[in-house]
Amino acid sequence: LTLEHGRRTVLLGSNGLVLASSALLLLGDTWYALLLGRVCIGAVAGLAASTVPMYFAEISPAACRGAVGTAHQLGVSLGILLSQMVTTPSLNLLGSADLWRCVFLVPLACALLEFIVLPLCPESPAHLYRTEGSSAALTVSHVIWSRTADLSPTRPPRRPHY
């Protein structure tokens, strides 16, 4: 899917599934509506688990690629921890029988934020190379990595130790 349509397009499309699943989970009255909402959000989780690290690796400079991948995994872990804290009944946040559906406003808000921010991000140079050729990929690569050139620390070149 990502090879054919691009990482950014797949992520934007998966936000449509987030909106559908959040609506089903927030407003669904029947077990099959809740089941369909869970299936949709599971599909989004699968798409995001494979597409986001790939997209981040392709748009980040080589010097910080590992840190970007680690930050993504840290964000996933912190998201799981936060969801556990918010839905714990003893904390009285959203873990009650009356408020449990409000938890699904969080992915809805994240999807809306991504709908706004993701179109401002560049398409992956690897996808552009496959679909539009090397000149488009080089143009986007230059734009991406020239912005981050100022962020990289300046170090003198290392000399080999003999």
Side-chain angles (χ1 to χ4, degrees):
L1 199 60
T2 59
L3 290 176
E4 186 176 326
H5 300 289
R7 283 52 158 156
R8 195 177 63 171
T9 306
V10 168
L11 290 173
L12 282 170
S14 71
N15 283 333
L17 277 176
V18 172
L19 296 177
S21 68
S22 294
L24 285 167
L25 292 167
L26 276 167
L27 306 172
D29 292 342
T30 60
W31 67 269
Y32 48 86
L34 295 175
L35 177 67
L36 184 59
R38 294 290 295 186
V39 167
C40 287
I41 203 70
V44 169
L47 279 171
S50 63
T51 306
V52 171
M54 191 182 334
Y55 179 65
F56 282 173
E58 290 173 357
I59 65 168
S60 17
C64 65
R65 204 165 283 156
V68 169
T70 302
H72 172 257
Q73 282 298 59
L74 181 63
V76 169
S77 299
L78 289 175
I80 292 170
L81 176 65
L82 181 65
S83 69
Q84 290 294 317
M85 290 172 41
V86 167
T87 58
T88 299
S90 61
L91 295 178
N92 294 324
L93 295 174
L94 297 176
S96 67
D98 298 330
L99 296 175
W100 70 272
R101 288 181 186 255
C102 295
V103 171
F104 303 109
L105 292 172
V106 175
L108 182 67
C110 292
L112 291 175
L113 177 66
E114 193 171 334
F115 267 132
I116 295 167
V117 172
L118 198 56
L120 303 175
C121 298
E123 182 55 78
S124 160
H127 174 70
L128 289 174
Y129 181 77
R130 277 191 297 281
T131 58
E132 298 179 24
S134 62
S135 63
L138 285 173
T139 303
V140 168
S141 297
H142 177 69
V143 169
I144 293 170
W145 295 324
S146 66
R147 288 181 191 164
T148 59
D150 298 335
L151 301 176
S152 61
T154 56
R155 292 185 218 149
R158 292 186 181 187
R159 294 185 183 173
H161 297 283
Y162 295 108

